[in-house]
Amino acid sequence: MRATHVVLLLSLSAAPALAQSNAALMANDHYTRSHDYDLIRQRIVVSGFDWDSTSFQGSVTTTLTALRPGLDSIILDEGALLQNTGVTDARGAALRADHHGDTLVVYPAAPLKYGDTLTFTIAYQGRVKNGDGLTFITPDGLPHRPRQIWSQGEDHNNHYWFPTYDFPNDKMTWELVATVPKEDMAVSNGRLVSDVARGGTRTLTWSQDRASATYLVSLIVAPLVRIHDTWQGIPVDYYVYREDSSRAWPLFHVTPEMIGTYSRLTGVRYPWAKYAQTTVADFFGGMENVSATTLVDWLPDARAYRDRPWYQWILIPHELAHQWFGDYVTTENWANMWLNEGFAEFMPGQYWGQELGDHAEQDYYADEYRQYLQIDHRRPMPLASLGSNNIYPKGALVLEMLKHYLGPERFWASIHTYLERHATGNATSDDLRQAVLEAAGENLDWFWSEWVYQAGYPQFDVAASYDSTQHQLNLTVKQTQPDSLKADSTGLRYSVPAAFRMPLTVRVGTAQGDVVRRVEISARDQRITIPGVMSAPTMVIFDDGNRVLKSLNFEQPTAWLATQLQRDPDLWDRQWVIGQLAARTTDSAAARALADAAGRADYYLTRAQAAEALGRFPSVALPALETALRDTSAAVRSAAVGALGEIGGAPAIALAKRALAADSSYAVRAAAVRALVQADSARAREVIVTALAQPSYQDAIENAALRAIATTNDTSFIAAVDSLSATKQFPAFVLAALGARGNAHALELLTRHLDDDRAAVRRWALQAFRFAMPRPVALSRLQGAVDGLTHPDARQAVRDAIQQMSTQRSGS
Ligand SMILES: [Zn+2]
């Protein structure tokens, strides 16, 4: 699963409460569900979908074997809204069954012996609360929004639309037979067995012949066209709306090569019968349903590729990686979910590294690092813990660190062992450690203890002094990470290691060449001596190559930093140096070093970061920023425009205006909107009007203008914002922001949208109340409005929201 950044942060703040008592225990089997049978196969037959009542007809035939003698009752998960119309055995004889809440108990005619096989069929009238298991979408007169249905199983939602064992530790094969209106396509897992038209309908049968987890069962019903591609004879299909046909190939055609790279790196050939990627509306990002990934329908246009769209850089390779990590080998329980998500987040960096080189790989993980620090700052948690907030970025970073520690050969051999040993099965965190032990011969108990089962990361405080008589460099290295996490209500308390243990390299630059020394970090407080430094250092790099996930506090002369910025190939190191230099706003040598990097660094990210930092040097930055504005990379130009907004003044404003009018990148133009509003507040209105009229991918430019309206609190735009909120979500958030600042008219308009005829508009308005307004303000407004709503769904949705908001823990 991969959410957009915004949604990801929202869902993280709602992480479930924890109830475990021991980190290592829960990371392994503590959270695994016991079950009395082994699910073998299900045949899921669905038809008669009705969008108004979110209902359908269902029938599921289940084959399982007993895992204990005398098994006289079979317990399945089945949503309370599914109404069974009959349960029969393989010969058609009725079986007794009880359906209470979300649990179904089926009683076999006679108790099963250990290992006995039972097949039975449950016929039911299906109905879902829209969004639980299945999401029914109506066009609502909105553009780019055909009528459709999509399923979403992870973590525990597939039982809302078919009875099954809804936990990841019992894999099965399955067949899915869907009868849909003849103009629609039904996409599911595995190979397409048949596609038969009959009257006004069409029946498609898909068969998933290799076992996988039940939360990965998927169904999408929508009018879609198929763009066909292949990898080594395996169908690779892209299902999109007809109007998106021309955008599909440039976006998705990277897939076969990614499949090849992942197959080669892991030594495990892509394991499924086909790979489909299907786009749908209102999706949170992507979901790795086995062999049939579901993705949001935000296909980039041609111009958007100048801004390296997230969709291709992360989303596609992330979901593809899950086909190995998550679908082929699956976490045994949700406390080890980082085995799914950490690997899926790690693999795209490997792909881009193979494709584009080391800098692209470092670039990828630098972004993960930024995300991780933000999350850890809110609450440090172990990777292996239920509801862990950092499994994506920290998982990726720890795996990259492990790869560097072991070296690629031993690392990939270990991954191969892990995948093969648990193929079409489940694994826990310790199984991965065992695979390393087997393939690389090394017991990484200490590494798992520090990085998987405990929280935090080393926070280094380093000081250097040169001893010219002994010709040595003395370093004091302190680890300052606090271990002050509090226990929660269950008594669970996460620990942070007092001292992380890791080998790393110190590189000392001198006039006679570099002195490079491998050292072992193992204590909270440590002295390190680097001998053979024959003349005064010109730079000192602590952890050369950035092999350890860390923060670093290391006061150095500007001259050292400037030398490192020129010489150090590592992007994290450079970013750290730029941060140091950016703080020295009165130091002309620091400004010179940044200007030099902004114009000449060999990778765009460094140029962009240096250009951004120049915004803090208003008296000298302009010439360097003018150069940066001509950079071939849109990210550098964006950063330069942002810096122009910081320094202000007529020449900067003129340059930013030119970028808004003429730059070929959406991101640069959006940055220009922000810069101009910041630097020239008297003319903000004019800029906003211009920007609102510029179409862009994902409304990047328009949204920059809307943000400006919210931040400048310019209520003269309320009518314009309101008219936009009839077709998209973000303007509703702006109304909420204006309303929260006391604008009654904005609040009135937003309240009216709660009662709109269109489900999407109602939902956006309600989300705006919930996520873009202080809770007490939103609650009182919703409570005041609920009884006046005329749309029955609207009243119910607002009531549900009020209840959830009232019971939400403050500060969670
Ligand atoms: Zn994922």
Side-chain angles (χ1 to χ4, degrees):
M1 193 171 359
R2 185 61 161 85
T4 63
H5 290 290
V6 179
V7 178
L8 180 68
L9 294 180
L10 291 174
S11 66
L12 287 169
S13 65
L18 296 152
Q20 61 266 31
S21 54
N22 177 295
L25 178 72
M26 87 206 163
N28 291 290
D29 276 337
H30 184 65
Y31 278 92
T32 304
R33 193 181 189 188
S34 293
H35 50 135
D36 290 338
Y37 54 82
D38 177 16
L39 205 55
I40 305 297
R41 187 169 176 89
Q42 288 195 305
R43 181 167 193 267
I44 303 155
V45 182
V46 285
S47 64
F49 292 99
D50 183 74
W51 272 259
D52 293 329
S53 57
T54 60
S55 66
F56 59 99
Q57 299 292 323
S59 160
V60 172
T61 301
T62 302
T63 300
L64 50 77
T65 59
L67 290 180
R68 67 177 173 84
L71 182 63
D72 56 4
S73 56
I74 314 286
I75 299 170
L76 293 168
D77 301 298
E78 185 184 29
L81 294 182
L82 305 184
Q83 289 191 349
N84 294 338
T85 52
V87 180
T88 49
D89 70 12
R91 285 166 311 188
L95 296 180
R96 190 159 68 83
D98 287 328
H99 189 189
H100 292 297
D102 290 337
T103 301
L104 172 71
V105 185
V106 174
Y107 301 94
L112 305 181
K113 295 198 288 289
Y114 181 88
D116 273 1
T117 298
L118 177 71
T119 295
F120 57 94
T121 298
I122 301 160
Y124 60 103
Q125 172 65 42
R127 186 162 72 83
V128 295
K129 178 168 183 277
N130 204 6
D132 283 356
L134 294 179
T135 297
F136 288 71
I137 289 174
T138 48
D140 284 344
L142 298 169
H144 197 248
R145 191 183 172 85
R147 189 182 77 161
Q148 58 192 277
I149 300 167
W150 46 261
S151 69
Q152 171 58 30
E154 193 173 17
D155 321 354
H156 193 243
N157 278 357
N158 266 343
H159 72 282
Y160 290 125
W161 66 281
F162 67 94
T164 191
Y165 176 79
D166 208 351
F167 203 80
N169 68 330
D170 187 356
K171 294 196 166 182
M172 66 168 187
T173 63
W174 63 88
E175 190 171 64
L176 194 139
V177 183
T179 300
V180 299
K182 72 169 186 316
E183 63 275 15
D184 283 341
M185 177 67 196
V187 184
S188 185
N189 319 90
R191 69 192 160 84
L192 182 62
V193 177
S194 63
D195 177 0
V196 181
R198 209 177 285 113
T201 66
R202 172 181 187 187
T203 298
L204 296 106
T205 301
W206 295 89
S207 186
Q208 174 66 31
D209 297 328
R210 215 168 180 184
S212 195
T214 58
Y215 73 90
L216 297 166
V217 173
S218 172
L219 172 65
I220 292 167
V221 179
L224 300 166
V225 294
R226 184 183 73 138
I227 316 281
H228 181 62
D229 207 344
T230 63
W231 177 76
Q232 296 195 357
I234 293 174
V236 177
D237 294 321
Y238 319 128
Y239 291 96
V240 300
Y241 311 153
R242 183 170 299 283
E243 63 196 282
D244 287 334
S245 303
S246 65
R247 293 186 180 191
W249 189 263
L251 176 63
F252 290 117
H253 183 53
V254 291
T255 310
E257 192 163 325
M258 285 178 183
I259 294 175
T261 300
Y262 287 175
S263 296
R264 180 168 53 77
L265 288 175
T266 60
V268 174
R269 186 182 153 86
Y270 177 79
W272 312 111
K274 63 124 196 307
Y275 189 54
Q277 291 170 99
T278 307
T279 63
V280 299
D282 294 349
F283 207 60
F284 51 81
M287 178 62 210
E288 68 273 19
N289 298 309
V290 57
S291 78
T293 283
T294 307
L295 297 164
V296 66
D297 60 356
W298 294 347
L299 287 79
D301 63 29
R303 181 168 280 199
Y305 287 93
R306 294 166 191 264
D307 301 323
R308 197 176 68 188
W310 161 85
Y311 205 119
Q312 196 176 56
W313 177 250
I314 293 179
L315 185 62
I316 291 173
H318 175 105
E319 303 307 339
L320 177 64
H322 273 307
Q323 301 301 319
W324 287 259
F325 303 97
D327 298 359
Y328 189 56
V329 176
T330 307
T331 182
E332 190 169 292
N333 55 43
W334 297 118
N336 289 276
M337 195 177 177
W338 83 277
L339 292 174
N340 290 10
E341 297 303 345
F343 270 109
E345 195 73 356
F346 164 73
M347 291 297 285
Q350 300 305 301
Y351 172 75
W352 293 115
Q354 295 284 318
E355 193 70 11
L356 304 173
D358 287 348
H359 274 154
E361 185 171 332
Q362 293 161 9
D363 179 357
Y364 180 89
Y365 297 105
D367 193 42
E368 299 295 318
Y369 178 78
R370 278 188 292 273
Q371 294 175 44
Y372 168 56
L373 283 203
Q374 281 176 14
I375 293 169
D376 186 86
H377 183 71
R378 289 199 294 272
R379 186 186 182 196
M381 289 179 81
L383 272 180
S385 58
L386 193 65
S388 176
N389 56 7
N390 57 38
I391 55 176
Y392 292 77
K394 191 180 186 185
L397 293 164
V398 167
L399 288 167
E400 178 73 345
M401 185 165 53
L402 181 63
K403 190 187 84 173
H404 283 140
Y405 175 82
L406 291 170
E409 216 171 357
R410 297 205 303 164
F411 175 79
W412 291 113
S414 303
I415 300 310
H416 178 79
T417 300
Y418 167 77
L419 287 170
E420 287 298 298
R421 184 183 278 182
H422 303 284
T424 70
N426 296 98
T428 64
S429 297
D430 200 58
D431 290 325
L432 181 62
R433 187 189 63 83
Q434 291 280 354
V436 177
L437 181 56
E438 182 173 318
E442 192 161 337
N443 185 346
L444 293 182
D445 196 34
W446 58 276
F447 186 101
W448 257 244
S449 165
E450 290 172 12
W451 295 103
V452 178
Y453 300 135
Q454 294 187 75
Y457 58 93
Q459 301 178 13
F460 290 113
D461 210 333
V462 178
S465 64
Y466 179 57
D467 182 337
S468 57
T469 51
Q470 301 290 325
H471 298 300
Q472 65 187 33
L473 184 77
N474 297 318
L475 293 175
T476 59
V477 179
K478 294 189 165 99
Q479 298 191 37
T480 62
Q481 63 277 6
D483 183 23
S484 54
L485 301 178
K486 292 195 170 57
D488 68 12
S489 58
T490 68
L492 170 68
R493 182 186 168 281
Y494 297 127
S495 59
V496 174
F500 284 82
R501 156 187 165 191
M502 268 309 243
L504 54 77
T505 300
V506 176
R507 177 180 293 271
V508 185
T510 74
Q512 289 80 31
D514 289 358
V515 178
V516 178
R517 191 94 180 178
R518 189 105 168 129
V519 300
E520 186 78 23
I521 298 296
S522 58
R524 193 149 170 97
D525 205 333
Q526 216 169 332
R527 287 181 166 280
I528 293 167
T529 301
I530 313 286
V533 181
M534 303 313 289
S535 61
T538 55
M539 67 167 191
V540 176
I541 303 177
F542 178 79
D543 187 20
D544 191 33
N546 184 36
R547 296 311 198 223
V548 182
L549 170 55
K550 64 180 180 292
S551 67
L552 179 60
N553 184 19
F554 186 1
E555 189 65 25
Q556 298 180 17
T558 298
W560 289 13
L561 296 168
T563 304
Q564 186 180 354
L565 187 53
Q566 278 182 350
R567 289 195 45 207
D568 192 334
D570 185 80
L571 296 185
W572 186 93
D573 287 359
R574 291 182 188 177
Q575 178 180 308
W576 180 84
V577 168
I578 288 168
Q580 302 296 304
L581 292 171
R584 299 177 188 195
T585 52
T586 57
D587 182 342
S588 60
R592 272 198 307 279
L594 290 169
D596 181 66
R600 283 218 293 254
D602 60 1
Y603 191 73
Y604 87 92
L605 186 65
T606 305
R607 299 199 300 278
Q609 289 166 342
E612 185 188 342
L614 283 170
R616 302 173 77 166
F617 297 81
S619 56
V620 295
L622 205 59
L625 293 176
E626 265 192 276
T627 306
L629 280 176
R630 294 191 296 271
D631 204 289
T632 52
S633 157
V636 178
R637 302 199 303 277
S638 282
V641 168
L644 290 172
E646 294 286 333
I647 66 176
I653 290 168
L655 289 168
K657 267 193 177 148
R658 200 183 308 156
L660 176 59
D663 201 281
S664 60
S665 142
Y666 298 134
V668 175
R669 290 189 187 206
V673 172
R674 292 189 290 274
L676 287 167
V677 168
Q678 179 182 8
D680 192 9
S681 54
R683 296 241 172 78
R685 187 163 215 295
E686 207 176 290
V687 171
I688 291 169
V689 169
T690 311
L692 286 177
Q694 291 198 16
S696 54
Y697 173 61
Q698 287 303 108
D699 300 321
I701 302 169
E702 183 182 295
N703 288 350
L706 288 167
R707 277 198 186 87
I709 292 168
T711 50
T712 59
N713 203 15
D714 186 341
T715 53
S716 69
F717 281 104
I718 285 183
V721 175
D722 187 54
S723 71
L724 291 170
S725 68
T727 53
K728 37 190 136 185
Q729 174 163 29
F730 191 61
F733 280 66
V734 175
L735 287 178
L738 294 173
R741 294 225 187 87
N743 188 284
H745 185 43
L747 209 49
E748 183 53 42
L749 291 168
L750 187 62
T751 307
R752 217 176 286 167
H753 291 315
L754 289 172
D755 216 10
D756 199 278
D757 285 342
R758 295 157 296 191
V761 175
R762 292 199 301 273
R763 196 179 61 249
W764 296 334
L766 190 52
Q767 285 173 343
F769 274 104
R770 295 196 60 181
F771 301 117
M773 236 185 227
R775 202 191 308 163
V777 182
L779 254 179
S780 94
R781 183 72 188 188
L782 291 172
Q783 279 159 344
V786 65
D787 290 328
L789 300 173
T790 54
H791 197 293
D793 291 354
R795 254 196 325 269
Q796 192 54 50
V798 171
R799 282 206 184 106
D800 290 351
I802 288 171
Q803 211 219 322
Q804 285 169 21
M805 290 164 78
S806 312
T807 55
Q808 215 174 333
R809 286 175 306 154
S810 53
S812 67

